Amino acid sequence: MAVCVAVIAKENYPLYIRSVPTENELKFHYMVHTSLDVVDEKISAMGKALVDQRELYLGLLYPTEDYKVYGYVTNSRVKFVMVVDSSNTALRDNEIRSMFRKLHSSYTDVMCNPFYNPGDRIQSRAFDSMVTSMMIQVC
Amino acid sequence: MRARSAGRSLGAGGRRMADAVLFEFLHTEMVAELWAHDPDSGPGGQNMSLSVLEGMGFRVGQALGERLSRETLAYREELDILKFLCKDLWMAVFQKQMDSLRTNHQGTYVLQDNSFPLLIRMASGLQYLEEAPKFLAFTCGLLRGTLCTLGVKSLVTASVAALPACKFQVVIQKS
């Protein structure tokens, strides 16, 4: 269960960012912003790698003492960043991968929506509810 | 142009044929409708209609570029992206692959289709040659939009020497 989910455009501005504990939101925004550097580093490393396998899932970007940050980049250079609670050790790699896959397919649906202009903030309610299902329920 | 998954779920052959024909009819109507509004204005009006068609193709290309490149691995270089256009994009939209791709290795690519599906119903030879460009505007936009989602700024033009063969010239803009 994620604590914060962000969709960053190709030009590195946020298209969608939502975090669960609504107090101290700025901390998560800052975390996502700093993780972009790591994402860029991984992308350029991918470009120079001689291996044929170039994955979209970037894996663990960096761990802090409370949280772990995961990244995923699409072929259109749109980045998905997910912040997960460190204490939740039950989350395995393939669960994170499947969450990213769901995010990717919902983002593709948003892109195909004729009322959406590429580059605008994502305001689709369907996307919102999909992200809600992935986040921790805090009552 | 529905996503391939929709076609697969109801039996591949029959559903895909209906998709192609529906798109051809819709495209023909789009061109006819945009031309109906400017019956006697000069070249200015026609250019407006051409850019509207190209703009439509651009938006569709952006969405298609996102959807079709979902499962593939990350692209390594420009030539891979062009090959994706010639194989996957053309297959999804026109149910065939591009016939030839040539490049001068300096950012210009020429994609040739010897029997372009949107022109094949019109003529086979030189008849209707002046009418052909308006039927290519949407497809030029489609190519430009898909390239834009994949991170490549480009300029796409089309030329017809003899129906139904046509060439799309893609010039990559280095910023």
Side-chain angles (χ1 to χ4, degrees):
Chain A
M1 291 290 123
V3 160
C4 168
V5 170
V7 179
I8 317 283
K10 184 165 32 177
E11 293 85 5
N12 286 337
Y13 63 87
L15 289 172
Y16 182 86
I17 179 161
R18 206 163 116 205
S19 40
V20 163
T22 39
E23 80 285 340
N24 223 351
E25 235 180 295
L26 200 57
K27 177 176 73 175
F28 291 116
H29 287 225
Y30 182 65
M31 241 192 253
V32 169
H33 185 76
T34 51
S35 67
L36 287 180
D37 274 333
V38 187
V39 172
D40 278 337
E41 204 183 289
K42 292 222 176 198
I43 293 180
S44 55
M46 232 175 19
K48 296 189 184 66
L50 298 166
V51 189
D52 268 337
Q53 182 78 319
R54 289 182 73 205
E55 279 226 335
L56 301 178
Y57 174 63
L58 298 172
L60 182 65
L61 296 177
Y62 69 93
T64 64
E65 70 273 10
D66 288 324
Y67 301 104
K68 290 199 241 191
V69 183
Y70 291 90
Y72 181 100
V73 70
T74 68
N75 271 319
S76 49
R77 292 284 166 266
V78 166
K79 302 141 186 123
F80 300 123
V81 176
M82 201 184 310
V83 181
V84 168
D85 211 321
S86 260
S87 54
N88 193 351
T89 48
L91 265 181
R92 288 193 327 269
D93 206 47
N94 8 351
E95 287 177 21
I96 309 269
R97 274 178 203 262
S98 71
M99 277 158 77
F100 273 126
R101 249 196 301 273
K102 266 202 298 191
L103 259 179
H104 194 172
S105 89
S106 301
Y107 174 72
T108 314
D109 287 337
V110 165
M111 201 44 167
C112 294
N113 184 350
F115 296 112
Y116 171 72
N117 281 322
D120 289 349
R121 306 202 65 131
I122 297 180
Q123 282 161 337
S124 147
R125 272 182 256 172
F127 193 78
D128 269 340
S129 61
M130 191 271 320
V131 172
T132 315
S133 72
M134 288 202 309
M135 302 191 104
I136 296 184
Q137 317 307 331
V138 176
C139 295
Chain B
M1 283 164 292
R2 263 161 251 178
R4 276 180 286 188
S5 54
R8 245 181 262 131
S9 60
L10 257 105
R15 183 67 174 248
R16 230 181 275 149
M17 274 173 68
D19 278 353
V21 163
L22 286 174
F23 171 58
E24 280 176 36
F25 283 150
L26 180 63
H27 181 260
T28 314
E29 281 309 304
M30 267 162 42
V31 177
E33 180 66 23
L34 279 167
W35 248 257
H37 287 304
D38 309 296
D40 44 18
S41 63
Q46 283 185 17
N47 284 341
M48 188 52 179
S49 309
L50 280 176
S51 29
V52 170
L53 271 175
E54 216 256 355
M56 282 197 231
F58 181 75
R59 179 65 183 94
V60 173
Q62 280 185 311
L64 261 187
E66 193 67 58
R67 197 175 271 283
L68 291 178
S69 62
R70 196 150 49 121
E71 296 305 316
T72 57
L73 300 173
Y75 294 116
R76 213 175 335 195
E77 45 169 58
E78 224 167 65
L79 195 57
D80 286 336
I81 298 184
L82 266 295
K83 286 193 199 156
F84 161 77
L85 286 186
C86 294
K87 295 197 185 129
D88 299 314
L89 180 70
W90 234 242
M91 192 54 102
V93 180
F94 301 115
Q95 288 78 43
K96 66 184 280 280
Q97 292 192 1
M98 189 75 79
D99 290 314
S100 91
L101 168 66
R102 289 202 297 271
T103 173
N104 70 354
H105 293 292
Q106 268 145 25
T108 306
Y109 297 86
V110 176
L111 290 71
Q112 179 154 358
D113 192 333
N114 290 328
S115 58
F116 190 53
L118 295 177
L119 292 180
I120 208 167
R121 310 276 167 221
M122 283 199 270
S124 184
L126 296 172
Q127 198 184 14
Y128 299 124
L129 199 60
E130 321 79 51
E131 316 285 341
K134 49 173 108 112
F135 288 89
L136 297 172
F138 181 86
T139 318
C140 289
L142 188 72
L143 284 168
R144 192 166 67 92
T146 312
L147 282 169
C148 177
T149 335
L150 296 173
V152 179
K153 275 203 174 29
S154 58
L155 202 61
V156 183
T157 50
S159 63
V160 189
L163 276 72
C166 61
K167 290 196 188 140
F168 295 96
Q169 188 184 35
V170 177
V171 179
I172 312 282
Q173 320 267 287
K174 298 263 182 274
S175 49

